């Protein structure tokens, strides 16, 4: 009888120990899972932050969105030399330029901006990579209507008459980001708007909608905010305007924008139309 009691007690002790070990194992597993999930979420947040930062390098309108003017694949060698220069100009903040405040918007032929060769090189490297060489030729900057020429180690930019831009306006919007090996790849959506409707393509062959919804959304955005958005100035109201457009046009065109790593930095490598 005593042996039987001892056996029952032994079984109970073993059962309790098993439950204890299982409980500890579950706690350790749950903690590891939560740590992994938290780490993955942090990685996703960091990647998205990187994606948004790199998107600002290509979200540059110079008359057109030069880096999204393709029906196939666009790379550095496909760009014209003046296009490369005007894109870099648009990236350089006013704080890195010498601005002549006396040269007003209505002036012509006065030097409005001066940019040192060192500054221009820095932003050229940032956009296109440090392995590229700059061809310091003349270019026209569309946003502020500037004729720019290189002289004595400086880009000097004179106020000029504004040039006409395409009546068909392209809008783009950041969609998502992913890593592929060491490349950062953005998905960017695009639509084109003309006087008669919203289109998926620049040639206006694939119509998504009439102009009515666009006009409705546009009417709720002030001209000032709209102009700021069109001239590469970050603007919350303009961004909300874009958000509403792209929520409506889910069948917009999609571009893959690839950034390559070089010297611990990422530079634009290509834009490819995928949809």
């Amino acid at each position: 009888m005593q042996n039987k009691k001892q056996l029952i007690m032994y079984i109970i002790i073993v059962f309790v120990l098993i439950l204890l070990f299982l409980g500890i194992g579950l706690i350790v597993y749950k903690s590891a899972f939560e740590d992994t999930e938290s780490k993955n979420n942090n990685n996703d947040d960091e990647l998205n932050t990187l994606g948004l930062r790199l998107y600002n390098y290509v979200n540059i309108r110079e008359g057109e969105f030069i880096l999204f003017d393709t029906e196939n694949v666009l790379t550095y060698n496909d760009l014209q030399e003046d296009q490369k220069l005007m894109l870099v100009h648009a990236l350089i903040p006013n704080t890195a330029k010498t601005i002549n405040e006396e040269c007003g918007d209505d002036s012509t032929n006065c030097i409005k901006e001066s940019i040192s060769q060192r500054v221009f090189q820095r932003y050229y490297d940032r956009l296109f990579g440090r392995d590229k060489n700059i061809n310091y030729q003349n270019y026209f900057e569309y946003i502020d209507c500037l004729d720019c020429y290189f002289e004595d180690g400086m880009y000097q930019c004179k106020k000029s008459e504004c040039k006409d831009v395409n009546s068909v306006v392209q809008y783009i919007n950041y969609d998502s980001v992913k890593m592929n090996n060491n490349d950062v790849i953005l998905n960017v959506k695009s639509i084109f708007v003309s006087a008669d409707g919203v289109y998926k393509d620049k040639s206006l062959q694939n119509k998504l909608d009439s102009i009515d919804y666009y006009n409705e959304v546009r009417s709720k955005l002030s001209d000032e905010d709209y102009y700021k958005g069109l001239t590469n100035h970050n603007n919350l109201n303009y961004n909300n305007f874009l958000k509403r457009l792209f929520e409506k046009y889910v069948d917009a065109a999609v571009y893959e924008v690839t950034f390559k790593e070089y010297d611990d930095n990422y530079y634009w490598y290509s834009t490819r139309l995928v949809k």
Side-chain angles (χ1 to χ4, degrees):
M1 183 63 116
Q2 186 68 25
N3 289 339
K4 187 174 180 180
K5 288 182 178 180
Q6 289 177 344
L7 178 61
I8 293 173
M9 184 63 68
Y10 175 76
I11 292 173
I12 291 173
I13 292 172
V14 170
F15 182 71
V16 170
L17 288 173
I18 290 173
L19 289 178
L20 181 63
F21 283 126
L22 286 175
I24 293 173
L26 180 61
I27 292 171
V28 170
Y29 172 79
K30 184 177 180 181
S31 176
F33 177 79
E34 288 176 348
D35 287 345
T36 300
E37 186 176 37
S38 176
K39 185 176 180 180
N40 287 339
N41 287 337
N42 288 337
N43 288 341
D44 289 344
D45 290 342
E46 290 175 4
L47 180 58
N48 191 56
T49 299
L50 175 60
L52 287 168
R53 178 169 66 82
L54 296 179
Y55 174 68
N56 287 330
Y57 291 178
V58 296
N59 181 21
I60 301 170
R61 189 189 298 275
E62 274 295 329
E64 298 178 341
F65 281 114
I66 297 171
L67 295 179
F68 294 87
D69 188 14
T70 179
E71 294 182 356
N72 297 293
V73 179
L74 184 74
T75 65
Y76 176 84
N77 291 332
D78 298 315
L79 295 174
Q80 299 174 20
E81 292 302 318
D82 65 328
Q83 290 179 321
K84 298 171 186 176
L85 299 174
M86 66 176 71
L87 286 167
V88 173
H89 183 115
L91 275 182
I92 301 173
N94 286 343
T95 53
K97 306 172 186 174
T98 300
I99 307 292
N100 179 8
E101 300 295 347
E102 295 182 0
C103 184
D105 292 338
D106 297 331
S107 306
T108 56
N109 292 322
C110 60
I111 300 295
K112 177 67 175 178
E113 297 180 1
S114 299
I115 307 170
S116 71
Q117 183 175 4
R118 177 182 57 82
V119 168
F120 205 92
Q121 179 79 58
R122 185 197 313 158
Y123 283 89
Y124 197 97
D125 293 347
R126 185 174 296 181
L127 181 58
F128 296 122
R130 295 181 183 175
D131 59 333
K132 309 298 191 305
N133 295 316
I134 302 178
N135 181 352
Y136 289 99
Q137 67 175 55
N138 296 354
Y139 63 91
F140 184 84
E141 196 276 325
Y142 279 84
I143 298 302
D144 295 312
C145 308
L146 301 174
D147 271 318
C148 300
Y149 60 93
F150 192 73
E151 182 178 81
D152 297 330
M154 299 281 292
Y155 258 116
Q156 307 283 8
C157 298
K158 288 184 176 181
K159 285 293 295 183
S160 179
E161 292 184 5
C162 294
K163 296 182 178 180
D164 292 335
V165 295
N166 200 324
S167 59
V168 177
V169 182
Q170 183 180 17
Y171 299 95
I172 63 173
N173 199 47
Y174 173 84
D175 186 62
S176 61
V177 61
K178 64 182 178 181
M179 292 288 294
N180 184 10
N181 296 323
N182 290 325
D183 296 344
V184 177
I185 300 177
L186 311 183
N187 271 8
V188 177
K189 292 192 171 182
S190 165
I191 57 174
F192 293 86
V193 177
S194 71
D196 73 326
V198 179
Y199 292 83
K200 190 173 181 176
D201 57 322
K202 186 177 181 179
S203 60
L204 309 184
Q205 299 298 310
N206 193 337
K207 191 170 186 177
L208 296 173
D209 197 7
S210 70
I211 199 66
D212 295 343
Y213 180 78
Y214 171 84
N215 285 339
E216 176 188 338
V217 176
R218 170 65 183 87
S219 67
K220 297 176 182 177
L221 180 70
S222 72
D223 290 343
E224 180 183 359
D225 286 337
Y226 181 72
Y227 179 74
K228 285 180 179 178
L230 285 185
T231 53
N232 303 320
H233 293 89
N234 190 30
N235 180 277
L236 179 60
N237 292 330
Y238 182 80
N239 291 341
N240 287 334
F241 160 73
L242 290 180
K243 181 180 178 181
R244 291 189 64 185
L245 286 182
F246 285 94
E247 284 176 347
K248 169 76 171 177
Y249 302 119
V250 293
D251 291 329
V254 178
Y255 294 94
E256 276 190 354
V257 187
T258 299
F259 287 83
K260 294 280 187 181
E261 187 177 17
Y262 188 90
D263 285 351
D264 297 324
N265 289 300
Y266 289 94
Y267 68 93
W268 173 80
Y269 179 77
S270 68
T271 302
R272 181 170 72 97
L273 181 63
V274 294
K275 176 184 173 185

